[in-house]
Amino acid sequence: MLSGLNDQQIAAVTTDKDTLVIACPGSGKTRVLTRKIAFELERLESKKKFVVALTYTNRAAEEIQKRVEELGIPQDQLWAGTIHSFCYQWIIKPYAGYEPTLLNGFSIIDDYKRQKTLKQIIEKHYLPLNTVINTSLNRDGNYINTDSYHNLIAREFHQNIVNKKEIDFDLLLYYSYKLLKTHSKIRSHLANIFSYFFIDEYQDTQDLQYAIIGEIIKQQESQCKVFLVGDPDQAIYDSLGGISKNLEEIKKEFNNRNIELRELPGNYRSTQRIVDFFSNFQSTNLNIQALCSYANERGLISFNTVVNKEELFIEFAKLIESNLNKGVKPNEICIIAPQWYFLTPLAKKLKSILPEVPFEAPGITPLPRNRENFWWKLSRLFLSEIKPGTSINRFRWIEEIVQEINNYTNGCLGIERLDCRRYLKIVNSIKPDETDGINYLEKAFEKFLSSLEIEINSHPVLIDQWNHFFSGIGSRYESFEFDGIPKTIDYFKNAFNPSDGIVINTCHGVKGEEFETVIAFGLLWGYVPHWSSIIRKPYNEALGASSKLLYVIGSRAKRNLHLFAETGRKTQSENAYVINHQLGQLSFEYDNTYFSQR
């Protein structure tokens, strides 16, 4: 359990106290978290108790489950997932009848429908289409935009969807908190079930999320503990409501508990030179030391401010070829884009001049983003590869599918291990003779339900989620960024199958990842940080947002980091974008002669 851990990691895993762990990039955060979870699972004294691991993404949750499984620890008493999944499964589904708004049924809309509806309301009020409206609510049910008019827009948006018996993730959190706050028996029931809450990436946790967890933990006091891990310098989700609370603020959330602070300052990912670079954007006093075997290698760190935006893909192609010639694998190269809409056009241009090189832009998936949709979950089984490395996850997914089918149909499908193996064999045997992705999924779903003797037209919730799922796919292909994107089943399968290609993603999309070589562009004031973090904000706040993004970008690299603040980009007012203020003022010994020597 403790093998391979250093002294600081061991101390974090074995502590009996409520704990906040500040973990620098590459410090083995996930290793410590999974070992701690496994450690506490082994110490559970009752078969009725659960350990909860709350992660920012489903992918992170699956990684935790995979690592715990590899340690040989049974996961029957582990629940891992996002806060939205937790609220839906443990609070909203079983207790929706206590909330008048949810009493007569509801569905959760996906992000595309959310954006589309919000855009229509923004247009109706003659606001610029790039207006950022935060639809998060605080504990009193009020919106948190600084602009009061934006709060009216957010309220109108929620009224619009609620009238259609729909909610989004923000309402999901609010109603979960409201149910806990209003009904002590819900709090008590959950507090008696959970013995430990593990919170990954605590710095991106929303205020309502703290409140939800706090209501449960405070109900049981010392019998329910909390373990938080993260890095306040990587708090880049403030635009989505993430709050990087300090130790005293966290203590207050959990009834002034004596939460101890621990630090993991060793970086096992990057060279010391890379560490020295991104440490320029640090806000904490953590002294980060590179501890990997190649810590003292020089690597390459360059900063190009002269290339025009139209020539960027040519420069990237040269860097890619240089790395590949040196033996760097494609999936060890990452290009970080300033915004998601840069992903597909850039991938197309690079593919045109490097046709033999595989590329992966994971932000561009044809599937809607609502992972609580039943058909999204079922599509995951039909689209992911069937191989030994995926067997654990696939078995977990089929268990969830069967449980939801029983919930939606009032059915009694068996949920024992042998039953789930049989259902999984049915899924594995279904291979529709279709090349079109949408047609393939429709036929696969129909055959699966038919094999279980379930008539979808008899179950309104399944029909409603079906419509949301497939209309979400249609909406994506109607949008401009999907122009030219294949509709084939092979492309659909890329949504779940790991790629060996060069990753093209946003800063937010690669958070938590690591690559031999990182290429980042659009390092311009207004892109990094985004205008929403600059306009009508104090300058120190804009600098803070900039620091966090640059810190995350720099800390993804193991050996090589290539930065671009390209020319030729203009604002809506036709003013030229300028170099990111902090990079423009930073004195660092770049390897810029590397470009002239190629």
Side-chain angles (χ1 to χ4, degrees):
M1 186 70 66
L2 303 178
S3 63
L5 301 182
N6 62 33
D7 291 344
Q8 292 154 322
Q9 293 170 335
I10 291 173
V13 169
T14 57
T15 181
D16 284 328
K17 298 179 180 178
D18 296 294
T19 307
L20 169 64
V21 179
I22 306 296
C24 79
S27 61
K29 172 180 69 72
T30 304
R31 172 184 285 193
V32 169
L33 185 60
T34 52
R35 297 292 182 91
K36 177 64 174 175
I37 290 170
F39 185 78
E40 296 302 334
L41 282 171
E42 285 199 317
R43 298 174 71 190
L44 287 177
E45 297 178 354
S46 170
K47 294 294 184 182
K48 297 180 180 180
K49 291 287 188 178
F50 274 81
V51 163
V52 175
L54 295 175
T55 60
Y56 199 83
T57 65
N58 286 286
R59 179 178 177 180
E62 290 174 2
E63 180 64 23
I64 286 173
Q65 291 168 320
K66 176 185 174 183
R67 294 197 190 191
V68 171
E69 183 84 19
E70 290 171 348
L71 290 170
I73 307 298
Q75 299 186 46
D76 299 342
Q77 293 172 267
L78 168 65
W79 188 95
T82 65
I83 184 66
H84 300 100
S85 296
F86 175 82
C87 288
Y88 180 68
Q89 180 173 331
W90 293 97
I91 304 174
I92 296 296
K93 275 210 301 189
Y95 302 111
Y98 290 89
E99 169 53 46
T101 307
L102 309 177
L103 182 60
N104 296 316
F106 65 93
S107 61
I108 304 174
I109 63 172
D110 59 53
D111 190 56
Y112 267 76
K113 183 166 185 179
R114 177 186 177 278
Q115 293 291 354
K116 183 177 179 180
T117 305
L118 196 53
K119 180 182 176 182
Q120 290 171 344
I121 296 173
I122 288 172
E123 288 178 335
K124 170 186 166 184
H125 289 270
Y126 302 103
L127 292 173
L129 291 181
N130 61 352
T131 301
V132 178
I133 304 293
N134 191 333
T135 56
S136 302
L137 299 101
N138 63 19
R139 305 180 195 205
D140 298 321
N142 297 320
Y143 295 93
I144 61 177
N145 294 283
T146 54
D147 188 317
S148 59
Y149 191 64
H150 288 182
N151 287 334
L152 294 177
I153 301 295
R155 186 170 299 280
E156 182 177 339
F157 162 71
H158 276 152
Q159 289 173 343
N160 182 296
I161 63 173
V162 166
N163 289 341
K164 300 173 185 175
K165 293 186 178 180
E166 298 171 339
I167 62 173
D168 64 352
F169 282 164
D170 290 321
L171 286 179
L172 178 71
L173 290 179
Y174 174 67
Y175 289 131
S176 296
Y177 171 69
K178 187 178 176 184
L179 284 166
L180 289 173
K181 191 70 176 176
T182 307
H183 302 283
S184 60
K185 67 177 182 180
I186 299 177
R187 297 196 302 270
S188 298
H189 176 67
L190 294 177
N192 285 324
I193 293 175
F194 305 123
S195 67
Y196 233 113
F197 274 91
F198 292 91
I199 303 173
D200 190 18
E201 306 289 5
Y202 82 90
Q203 75 279 353
D204 295 322
T205 301
Q206 294 183 24
D207 184 63
L208 263 183
Q209 295 173 16
Y210 279 111
I212 289 165
I213 301 162
E215 286 298 320
I216 298 171
I217 288 179
K218 287 186 289 188
Q219 191 73 23
Q220 199 54 280
E221 288 300 327
S222 60
Q223 296 182 35
C224 186
K225 292 183 178 179
V226 63
F227 186 94
L228 307 97
V229 61
D231 182 357
D233 280 319
Q234 297 188 65
I236 60 175
Y237 286 96
D238 53 331
S239 62
L240 299 179
I243 300 176
S244 182
K245 298 197 176 192
N246 60 38
L247 179 60
E248 294 307 313
E249 291 171 326
I250 291 173
K251 286 180 179 180
K252 187 176 180 181
E253 290 292 348
F254 303 127
N255 217 21
N256 293 314
R257 287 191 176 194
N258 182 25
I259 300 175
E260 70 175 12
L261 176 66
R262 293 186 174 275
E263 296 179 345
L264 300 178
N267 181 299
Y268 293 89
R269 171 189 302 160
S270 308
T271 65
Q272 187 62 51
R273 189 164 181 242
I274 293 286
V275 170
D276 291 343
F277 174 79
F278 69 72
S279 293
N280 284 290
F281 311 107
Q282 219 178 332
S283 64
T284 64
N285 294 321
L286 201 62
N287 182 23
I288 305 174
Q289 294 295 316
L291 300 177
C292 57
S293 60
Y294 48 88
N296 294 324
E297 291 186 16
R298 180 175 175 83
L300 288 169
I301 303 179
S302 64
F303 186 28
N304 189 320
T305 61
V306 298
V307 64
N308 186 273
K309 66 182 181 69
E310 302 299 336
E311 304 296 322
L312 268 179
F313 72 103
I314 297 175
E315 288 297 320
F316 293 172
K318 293 177 182 177
L319 284 171
I320 290 168
E321 288 182 317
S322 174
N323 275 267
L324 295 177
N325 290 336
K326 292 176 182 177
V328 179
K329 295 179 180 179
N331 62 1
E332 278 288 344
I333 302 172
C334 172
I335 300 175
I336 298 179
Q339 307 294 337
W340 61 267
Y341 51 81
F342 284 85
L343 303 179
T344 305
L346 177 60
K348 289 179 180 178
K349 287 182 178 180
L350 286 172
K351 193 66 179 175
S352 69
I353 58 174
L354 298 173
E356 302 302 319
V357 177
F359 289 91
E360 173 70 13
I364 304 299
T365 168
L367 301 186
R369 297 175 184 173
N370 182 4
R371 298 191 173 201
E372 296 306 325
N373 183 289
F374 173 82
W375 304 107
W376 187 96
K377 294 177 180 179
L378 187 56
S379 70
R380 181 171 53 179
L381 278 165
F382 281 108
L383 297 177
S384 61
E385 292 183 3
I386 303 171
K387 59 182 183 180
T390 63
S391 59
I392 295 173
N393 283 337
R394 290 178 64 79
F395 192 84
R396 188 179 298 116
W397 297 339
I398 196 65
E399 284 183 316
E400 186 177 2
I401 287 293
V402 175
Q403 290 172 354
E404 293 206 8
I405 287 176
N406 285 338
N407 288 337
Y408 293 139
T409 66
N410 293 318
C412 54
L413 292 174
I415 57 173
E416 299 300 322
R417 196 167 187 83
L418 287 177
D419 296 315
C420 289
R421 287 189 184 279
R422 180 166 58 85
Y423 303 136
L424 196 53
K425 284 184 178 180
I426 293 174
V427 170
N428 295 346
S429 69
I430 297 174
K431 295 180 175 62
D433 186 21
E434 293 284 344
T435 57
D436 180 87
I438 295 175
N439 293 340
Y440 185 97
L441 287 178
E442 287 179 339
K443 289 193 175 182
F445 294 165
E446 290 168 354
K447 286 184 178 181
F448 180 68
L449 291 186
S450 175
S451 68
L452 301 181
E453 299 182 353
I454 294 173
E455 174 54 56
I456 186 174
N457 291 325
S458 302
H459 306 289
V461 176
L462 287 178
I463 295 174
D464 185 55
Q465 292 201 28
W466 176 290
N467 292 335
H468 279 292
F469 178 77
F470 285 106
S471 65
I473 297 176
S475 297
R476 284 175 175 265
Y477 277 103
E478 290 172 4
S479 60
F480 76 91
E481 68 269 13
F482 260 64
D483 181 39
I485 296 296
K487 293 185 178 180
T488 64
I489 186 59
D490 288 336
Y491 186 80
F492 273 53
K493 288 180 178 180
N494 288 335
F496 294 108
N497 295 329
S499 170
D500 292 326
I502 293 169
V503 172
I504 304 176
N505 210 328
T506 63
C507 178
H508 294 77
V510 298
K511 188 164 173 283
E513 304 292 332
E514 58 184 48
F515 304 90
E516 187 78 8
T517 297
V518 168
I519 303 168
F521 71 102
L523 301 178
L524 305 165
W525 198 252
Y527 283 155
V528 178
H530 188 268
W531 287 119
S532 61
S533 298
I534 299 173
I535 297 175
R536 292 191 295 275
K537 298 289 179 66
Y539 187 61
N540 66 316
E541 286 189 22
L543 286 177
S546 170
S547 292
K548 290 178 172 62
L549 289 169
L550 294 173
Y551 182 88
V552 169
I553 290 170
S555 60
R556 299 310 93 203
K558 295 179 182 179
R559 287 181 170 91
N560 308 308
L561 178 63
H562 300 289
L563 309 172
F564 288 81
E566 63 273 15
T567 63
R569 298 201 186 275
K570 293 185 178 181
T571 68
Q572 291 182 346
S573 303
E574 289 298 308
N575 295 316
Y577 274 90
V578 299
I579 298 171
N580 172 279
H581 291 184
Q582 290 174 297
L583 284 177
Q585 298 170 8
L586 180 64
S587 176
F588 190 85
E589 186 184 350
Y590 295 109
D591 299 303
N592 287 347
T593 55
Y594 169 74
F595 290 99
S596 60
Q597 293 171 356
R598 284 179 305 168

